[in-house]
Amino acid sequence: GPHLGTLAELLEEGRTTLRGAGRPTNAVDWTALLEGGLPGLVREGRVEEARGRIDAAVAKATEGSRLGR
């Protein structure tokens, strides 16, 4: 549907943040996010909530990368 583009953009933002932190993009379990409520949130227009879930997963994956800098 038309919301796939929005979902793809959100996922790409997350991947870009990971790369910027020097982490591999597979540091986040994208499958779990996609099998969870993420697509439904975007479909319902709750884009900021979906972005928040992605941001939380990315933050968790990058927690250790800022230590010692």
Side-chain angles (χ1 to χ4, degrees):
H3 303 293
L4 276 179
T6 301
L7 183 58
E9 287 174 21
L10 292 174
L11 295 171
E12 182 56 29
E13 287 173 17
R15 289 191 296 270
T16 299
T17 301
L18 282 170
R19 285 191 296 266
R23 302 289 292 155
T25 56
N26 65 356
V28 168
D29 187 350
W30 301 109
T31 302
L33 284 170
L34 290 169
E35 288 177 351
L38 205 61
L41 290 174
V42 174
R43 195 169 30 254
E44 293 167 12
R46 295 159 60 189
V47 175
E48 289 308 312
E49 191 174 341
R51 179 178 279 120
R53 289 194 187 182
I54 293 170
D55 289 348
V58 168
K60 185 176 180 186
T62 59
E63 276 175 352
S65 68
R66 288 188 295 270
L67 298 176
R69 287 194 176 172

